Amino acid sequence: MKEKVLKTLNEQMNAEYYSAYLYLGMSAYADRAGFKGTAGWLLRQAHEEREHAEKIFKFILERGDAPALADIKATPPEYKSLEDVFKKVAAHERHVTDLIDAAASVALDERDHATYSFLRWFVDEQVEEVSTADDILGKFTAAGSNPGFLFNLDAVLGQRQ
Ligand code: FEO
């Protein structure tokens, strides 16, 4: 692949591994705060992010290039609340969407249509990721100070397979 495309894909792979790392840290926070269902949801999310990274890893190899497994930055040590966690999930997914859009633009600029086609799966995935995060976050606003809300939300999130 052209150097610019490979660099962008390697950066995106690292960003996906960071996402996995971020959600793993959030899962630990939720678990320790007693929200086991939410912890399970976030752990599943972390697994999905690792799968995203591995999709890119495999694609780079398929194209005959070398994946660059760079350092993954540390994640925030603490969160204020579950709402804080989901605010950060939603913000992070918006950031990842920007990265994917930029990567797709690089692929098009470099006339690498195979990479562009590959990245379209991620473009679609991001619509779902942002929408899911926004839906969960919206429930906090709708619930106001309803005392049973966190318990119910935890139970719902815990149903994720
Ligand atoms: Fe793979 Fe949630 O972005």
Side-chain angles (χ1 to χ4, degrees), residues 12 15-16 19-20 23 45 48-53 89 92-93 96-97 100 121-122 125-126 129-130:
Q12 191 60 41
E16 301 290 347
S19 300
Y23 296 147
Q45 192 66 24
E48 273 195 10
E49 298 299 352
R50 205 187 60 220
E51 285 167 14
H52 295 173
V89 170
H92 181 69
E93 288 302 334
V96 173
T97 297
I100 291 286
W121 181 89
F122 287 85
E125 176 72 7
Q126 281 312 120
E129 298 263 279
V130 170

Side-chain angles (χ1 to χ4, degrees), residues 17-105:
Y17 275 126
Y18 175 74
S19 300
Y21 222 40
L22 179 67
Y23 296 147
L24 200 57
M26 289 173 170
S27 177
Y29 164 79
D31 191 289
R32 287 166 55 76
F35 298 113
K36 304 288 183 188
T38 308
W41 189 95
L42 287 161
L43 187 62
R44 184 74 199 92
Q45 192 66 24
H47 292 166
E48 273 195 10
E49 298 299 352
R50 205 187 60 220
E51 285 167 14
H52 295 173
E54 284 172 11
K55 253 183 202 290
I56 300 171
F57 173 86
K58 286 179 186 157
F59 180 76
I60 293 171
L61 285 173
E62 227 172 54
R63 298 289 304 276
D65 285 304
L69 295 165
D71 289 349
I72 302 168
K73 74 175 178 183
T75 62
E78 257 314 327
Y79 295 94
K80 289 193 254 214
S81 61
L82 272 197
E83 185 171 10
D84 181 38
V85 165
F86 283 103
K87 271 186 186 162
K88 284 173 177 149
V89 170
H92 181 69
E93 288 302 334
R94 283 193 161 72
H95 170 64
V96 173
T97 297
D98 289 345
L99 293 178
I100 291 286
D101 285 345
S105 296

